[in-house]
Amino acid sequence: MDRLEAMSTFLAVVEAGSLSAAARRLKTPLATVSRKVSELESHLRTKLFSRSSRQLVLTDAGSSYLTACKRILADVTEAERSASGEYIAPTGELSVTTPLGLGRTILIPIMADFLKAYPDIKVRMIPTDRVLSLVQEQIDVGVRIGALPDSGLMAIRVGEVRRLACASPAYLSVRGTPRTPEELADHDCITYAGFASGDVWTFVKDKATTAVPVQTRLVVGNAEAAFAAARAGIGIAAALSYQLQEPLNDGGPLTTVLDAFQPIPLPVSLVYAANRFLPIKIRAFLDFAAPRLKRVLAS
């Protein structure tokens, strides 16, 4: 039995919540995951999970072993990074997660310059509008929009983005331009997963945040589709300021509305895990990307 591999499998099962979910994450057959956990339990001569219910629950021994596994695997990772030279020179693979639109519009040009400046670093970019766990997904740096929870991560604030409402000139010429947030009830609105909270949008009115109901005529999966629908004249879409800088692939430019009622801007931050030793590749990226993001977002 490979004890480190068995520990990694055990940790994946705990984080995923089940054997089948861990098998999907590890891209390993379920039978293999189950066998490795059983072998580990036999080696330790104790049960790590209680299987009396549908959901796996750690035993007391399993909870203690989990803490030790996390520490041991972290130490092994640090040792490998040290041996590979990651603490001596900027080298190795750097993984970065970023929101889809911000990554495409703002981060990709910065990343192109970074790769030229550091030829011994290769980058794995993970563009997604989902908030991924840096620790569980083994990601070095994340670009986050919005207030940060108290997660124990280190953060560097690099700017802010504004939340906007926009529509095509053709739609506004037919339906009129809303002058107050309440007038959105008379308009067709477009929402997408990860931005607006369903049929209620927030604005600032008389220095106070107010929520107004909107008439959602179309729900799409991402910002690109929302903007394409808005440019096609379907209705008013919610947007973040940087998203309006994206190339026009469908229709013409969009016009912002209700600018006087913009909500409080959302902070943009670079986040990374607070390790005892920070690989030079991560420090190099933070020092390179942070000032450039600050300049772009400020403009």
Side-chain angles (χ1 to χ4, degrees), residues 162-168 171-172 178 184 187-192 195-196 198 201 203 214-220 222-241 243-244 254-259:
R162 293 175 295 121
R163 289 174 289 182
L164 306 169
C166 56
S168 71
Y171 171 88
L172 296 175
L184 287 176
H187 285 267
D188 297 336
C189 293
I190 305 162
T191 64
Y192 60 93
F195 183 83
W201 292 3
F203 295 89
V214 299
Q215 181 177 314
T216 302
R217 293 297 308 279
L218 178 66
V219 179
V220 294
N222 53 54
E224 255 184 7
F227 298 152
R231 291 183 179 116
I234 291 177
I236 297 174
L240 294 173
S241 51
Q243 292 169 327
L244 297 182
L254 295 171
T255 299
T256 60
V257 298
L258 301 173
D259 291 347

Side-chain angles (χ1 to χ4, degrees), residues 95-105 107-108 124-134 137 139 141-145 192-195 221-223 240 242-243:
S95 53
V96 180
T97 181
T98 171
L100 281 167
L102 189 147
R104 182 171 50 248
T105 307
L107 192 58
I108 283 291
R124 176 169 63 96
M125 277 190 66
I126 309 166
T128 176
D129 288 331
R130 293 189 301 112
V131 177
L132 301 179
S133 168
L134 301 192
E137 303 291 340
I139 298 171
V141 181
V143 182
R144 297 278 168 84
I145 299 175
Y192 60 93
F195 183 83
N222 53 54
L240 294 173
Y242 69 83
Q243 292 169 327

Side-chain angles (χ1 to χ4, degrees), residues 103-104 106-119 121 123 125 285 288-289 292:
R104 182 171 50 248
I106 297 177
L107 192 58
I108 283 291
I110 293 174
M111 195 65 76
D113 293 336
F114 175 75
L115 290 172
K116 291 176 184 176
Y118 294 94
I121 295 178
V123 174
M125 277 190 66
F285 178 75
F288 188 94
R292 288 164 174 79

